[in-house]
Amino acid sequence: MSQIEFYDTRTRTRRAFVPIHPGRVGLYSCGPTVYGPPHIGNLRSRLFSDLLKRFLLSEGLAVTHVINITDVGHLVSDADEGEDKIEAAARKTGKTAEQIAAHYTQVWRDDGAAVNCLPPEHNPKATEHIPEQIELARKLEAGGYLYRIADGLYFDTSRFPRYAELAHLDLAGQSEGARIGVTEGKRNPADFAVWKFAEAGVQRLQEWDSPWGRGFPGWHLECSAMAVRYLGPHFDIHTGGIDLASVHHTNEVAQSECGYGVHPWVELWMHNEFLDMGSEKMSKSKGNVRTLADLVAKGIDPLAFRYFFLQAHYRQQQSFSDEAIQSAATGYRRLQGVARELGVSSDPKSLAPLSANEAAAAEPHRERFRAALADDLNAVSYTHLTLPTNREV
């Protein structure tokens, strides 16, 4: 049986995967910032981590999967400036931050269920783990990694020599502000906020008392604190979109390895590429967003989108178009037709056991499928099946 190999973003190599603890895997995936409806580009990240989890489970491994809910601390600028995205949505709609977060968290969960994603073992909210975040910030302060400026506590990236390692950043070659903008008072352009102070005269919906006064956590702090809370200070795999590698994940590594005194904090970093709209990343800021509800309104089965996702490797950019999703929908209906003709139920629990002859005949196909998934989740070839052209769909 071939060994499992996954591509590791940090080392830029394919690496044999061996769990830290035999028989079980700790998996953390960056989840949604719940200020608006998740788009199908976000859903690609969810489907990627679900494919990974299902494969690990099929290998007989016990998987503890954590997906966070960002309901505070994610500002509109990577430079740690501007308004919190949840606060902005609440102000615009007249609803509370809790109402905004609760609504879009449920939309995210419903979308995941519609495309048949397994629920995570833990789905923690940032607002429910403020003590853990404050405790990590205290550790960093005690270690001399933080300094104070007018608007908050910042991490001094010059104290962490491996800061550029994950994303292979050329910090020296970048002009100030090119990557994350400029905040007055920062010692180094890459330094990032760990705790933000409440502004005098500005009434926020989400603030907490802390050793440094009233305020709220920076975006990056939550993932480190919650990952360690549920998986421990050293775990197997961290996933997310490739756009998170250069800022969010890089900052997670810095504060986690310094705060918890570990290296590496994560054994394997796996990132999925963008879903683009005409050679362009899909994003809310560009106004080119499509949601799962948009597809359903056009008669597309949510599982047809899952089938579409499987037509490109997770590390390849995937172009979305009406033609592409309609083609995937046709292919999915054909698969359903084949399953019906074979008398195969959509419920795995109702399937009758294979006879000895059937099992023997199926084994080579199972092994080829398993070998493809062990080859960095290469499920692509199995979505291009040759089906009768005269089948009614």
PDB file of all heavy atoms in Angstrom, residues 231-245:
ATOM      1  N   LEU A 231      -6.681  21.207  20.341  1.00  0.00           N
ATOM      2  CA  LEU A 231      -5.769  20.238  19.728  1.00  0.00           C
ATOM      3  C   LEU A 231      -4.428  20.127  20.433  1.00  0.00           C
ATOM      4  O   LEU A 231      -3.647  19.221  20.114  1.00  0.00           O
ATOM      5  CB  LEU A 231      -5.535  20.608  18.253  1.00  0.00           C
ATOM      6  CG  LEU A 231      -6.777  20.619  17.351  1.00  0.00           C
ATOM      7  CD1 LEU A 231      -6.410  21.120  15.965  1.00  0.00           C
ATOM      8  CD2 LEU A 231      -7.410  19.234  17.264  1.00  0.00           C
ATOM      9  N   GLY A 232      -4.156  21.029  21.372  1.00  0.00           N
ATOM     10  CA  GLY A 232      -2.862  21.016  22.037  1.00  0.00           C
ATOM     11  C   GLY A 232      -1.856  21.895  21.312  1.00  0.00           C
ATOM     12  O   GLY A 232      -2.103  22.372  20.196  1.00  0.00           O
ATOM     13  N   PRO A 233      -0.677  22.113  21.911  1.00  0.00           N
ATOM     14  CA  PRO A 233       0.305  23.054  21.361  1.00  0.00           C
ATOM     15  C   PRO A 233       1.107  22.529  20.174  1.00  0.00           C
ATOM     16  O   PRO A 233       1.957  23.236  19.647  1.00  0.00           O
ATOM     17  CB  PRO A 233       1.226  23.325  22.556  1.00  0.00           C
ATOM     18  CG  PRO A 233       1.135  22.080  23.370  1.00  0.00           C
ATOM     19  CD  PRO A 233      -0.278  21.606  23.232  1.00  0.00           C
ATOM     20  N   HIS A 234       0.861  21.298  19.760  1.00  0.00           N
ATOM     21  CA  HIS A 234       1.554  20.726  18.602  1.00  0.00           C
ATOM     22  C   HIS A 234       0.587  19.758  17.930  1.00  0.00           C
ATOM     23  O   HIS A 234       0.216  18.743  18.512  1.00  0.00           O
ATOM     24  CB  HIS A 234       2.824  19.997  19.063  1.00  0.00           C
ATOM     25  CG  HIS A 234       3.625  19.399  17.943  1.00  0.00           C
ATOM     26  ND1 HIS A 234       4.380  18.255  18.105  1.00  0.00           N
ATOM     27  CD2 HIS A 234       3.781  19.778  16.651  1.00  0.00           C
ATOM     28  CE1 HIS A 234       4.972  17.966  16.960  1.00  0.00           C
ATOM     29  NE2 HIS A 234       4.626  18.874  16.060  1.00  0.00           N
ATOM     30  N   PHE A 235       0.141  20.090  16.720  1.00  0.00           N
ATOM     31  CA  PHE A 235      -0.839  19.227  16.060  1.00  0.00           C
ATOM     32  C   PHE A 235      -0.464  19.005  14.598  1.00  0.00           C
ATOM     33  O   PHE A 235       0.507  19.567  14.084  1.00  0.00           O
ATOM     34  CB  PHE A 235      -2.257  19.780  16.222  1.00  0.00           C
ATOM     35  CG  PHE A 235      -2.489  21.152  15.656  1.00  0.00           C
ATOM     36  CD1 PHE A 235      -2.984  21.319  14.376  1.00  0.00           C
ATOM     37  CD2 PHE A 235      -2.251  22.284  16.440  1.00  0.00           C
ATOM     38  CE1 PHE A 235      -3.219  22.583  13.863  1.00  0.00           C
ATOM     39  CE2 PHE A 235      -2.489  23.553  15.931  1.00  0.00           C
ATOM     40  CZ  PHE A 235      -2.967  23.695  14.637  1.00  0.00           C
ATOM     41  N   ASP A 236      -1.267  18.180  13.922  1.00  0.00           N
ATOM     42  CA  ASP A 236      -0.844  17.609  12.642  1.00  0.00           C
ATOM     43  C   ASP A 236      -0.987  18.527  11.434  1.00  0.00           C
ATOM     44  O   ASP A 236      -0.016  18.753  10.703  1.00  0.00           O
ATOM     45  CB  ASP A 236      -1.643  16.321  12.375  1.00  0.00           C
ATOM     46  CG  ASP A 236      -1.367  15.250  13.405  1.00  0.00           C
ATOM     47  OD1 ASP A 236      -0.310  14.616  13.325  1.00  0.00           O
ATOM     48  OD2 ASP A 236      -2.219  15.054  14.292  1.00  0.00           O
ATOM     49  N   ILE A 237      -2.208  19.020  11.172  1.00  0.00           N
ATOM     50  CA  ILE A 237      -2.470  19.707   9.904  1.00  0.00           C
ATOM     51  C   ILE A 237      -3.287  20.977  10.148  1.00  0.00           C
ATOM     52  O   ILE A 237      -4.240  20.974  10.915  1.00  0.00           O
ATOM     53  CB  ILE A 237      -3.241  18.807   8.918  1.00  0.00           C
ATOM     54  CG1 ILE A 237      -2.517  17.480   8.686  1.00  0.00           C
ATOM     55  CG2 ILE A 237      -3.456  19.515   7.584  1.00  0.00           C
ATOM     56  CD1 ILE A 237      -3.296  16.491   7.810  1.00  0.00           C
ATOM     57  N   HIS A 238      -2.898  22.041   9.442  1.00  0.00           N
ATOM     58  CA  HIS A 238      -3.652  23.307   9.432  1.00  0.00           C
ATOM     59  C   HIS A 238      -3.981  23.603   7.977  1.00  0.00           C
ATOM     60  O   HIS A 238      -3.106  23.584   7.119  1.00  0.00           O
ATOM     61  CB  HIS A 238      -2.793  24.414  10.022  1.00  0.00           C
ATOM     62  CG  HIS A 238      -3.543  25.666  10.406  1.00  0.00           C
ATOM     63  ND1 HIS A 238      -4.466  26.278   9.580  1.00  0.00           N
ATOM     64  CD2 HIS A 238      -3.480  26.436  11.528  1.00  0.00           C
ATOM     65  CE1 HIS A 238      -4.943  27.364  10.179  1.00  0.00           C
ATOM     66  NE2 HIS A 238      -4.367  27.480  11.360  1.00  0.00           N
ATOM     67  N   THR A 239      -5.269  23.879   7.669  1.00  0.00           N
ATOM     68  CA  THR A 239      -5.663  24.189   6.298  1.00  0.00           C
ATOM     69  C   THR A 239      -6.258  25.587   6.205  1.00  0.00           C
ATOM     70  O   THR A 239      -6.604  26.202   7.205  1.00  0.00           O
ATOM     71  CB  THR A 239      -6.700  23.180   5.765  1.00  0.00           C
ATOM     72  OG1 THR A 239      -7.977  23.433   6.378  1.00  0.00           O
ATOM     73  CG2 THR A 239      -6.280  21.748   6.027  1.00  0.00           C
ATOM     74  N   GLY A 240      -6.385  26.049   4.961  1.00  0.00           N
ATOM     75  CA  GLY A 240      -7.001  27.347   4.698  1.00  0.00           C
ATOM     76  C   GLY A 240      -6.739  27.758   3.269  1.00  0.00           C
ATOM     77  O   GLY A 240      -5.988  27.095   2.535  1.00  0.00           O
ATOM     78  N   GLY A 241      -7.340  28.853   2.854  1.00  0.00           N
ATOM     79  CA  GLY A 241      -7.105  29.373   1.517  1.00  0.00           C
ATOM     80  C   GLY A 241      -5.697  29.925   1.385  1.00  0.00           C
ATOM     81  O   GLY A 241      -5.099  30.406   2.353  1.00  0.00           O
ATOM     82  N   ILE A 242      -5.146  29.878   0.176  1.00  0.00           N
ATOM     83  CA  ILE A 242      -3.768  30.311  -0.046  1.00  0.00           C
ATOM     84  C   ILE A 242      -3.571  31.786   0.294  1.00  0.00           C
ATOM     85  O   ILE A 242      -2.474  32.209   0.648  1.00  0.00           O
ATOM     86  CB  ILE A 242      -3.343  30.034  -1.514  1.00  0.00           C
ATOM     87  CG1 ILE A 242      -1.847  30.227  -1.709  1.00  0.00           C
ATOM     88  CG2 ILE A 242      -4.153  30.888  -2.481  1.00  0.00           C
ATOM     89  CD1 ILE A 242      -0.992  29.276  -0.915  1.00  0.00           C
ATOM     90  N   ASP A 243      -4.638  32.583   0.233  1.00  0.00           N
ATOM     91  CA  ASP A 243      -4.525  34.002   0.549  1.00  0.00           C
ATOM     92  C   ASP A 243      -4.231  34.249   2.024  1.00  0.00           C
ATOM     93  O   ASP A 243      -3.784  35.338   2.401  1.00  0.00           O
ATOM     94  CB  ASP A 243      -5.796  34.747   0.140  1.00  0.00           C
ATOM     95  CG  ASP A 243      -7.056  34.149   0.737  1.00  0.00           C
ATOM     96  OD1 ASP A 243      -7.128  32.911   0.854  1.00  0.00           O
ATOM     97  OD2 ASP A 243      -7.985  34.908   1.069  1.00  0.00           O
ATOM     98  N   LEU A 244      -4.458  33.246   2.875  1.00  0.00           N
ATOM     99  CA  LEU A 244      -4.205  33.407   4.306  1.00  0.00           C
ATOM    100  C   LEU A 244      -2.745  33.160   4.682  1.00  0.00           C
ATOM    101  O   LEU A 244      -2.312  33.514   5.774  1.00  0.00           O
ATOM    102  CB  LEU A 244      -5.094  32.446   5.103  1.00  0.00           C
ATOM    103  CG  LEU A 244      -6.599  32.634   4.960  1.00  0.00           C
ATOM    104  CD1 LEU A 244      -7.346  31.605   5.799  1.00  0.00           C
ATOM    105  CD2 LEU A 244      -7.017  34.046   5.364  1.00  0.00           C
ATOM    106  N   ALA A 245      -1.986  32.543   3.792  1.00  0.00           N
ATOM    107  CA  ALA A 245      -0.635  32.113   4.152  1.00  0.00           C
ATOM    108  C   ALA A 245       0.297  33.273   4.499  1.00  0.00           C
ATOM    109  O   ALA A 245       1.056  33.206   5.470  1.00  0.00           O
ATOM    110  CB  ALA A 245      -0.032  31.279   3.017  1.00  0.00           C
TER     111      ALA A 245
END
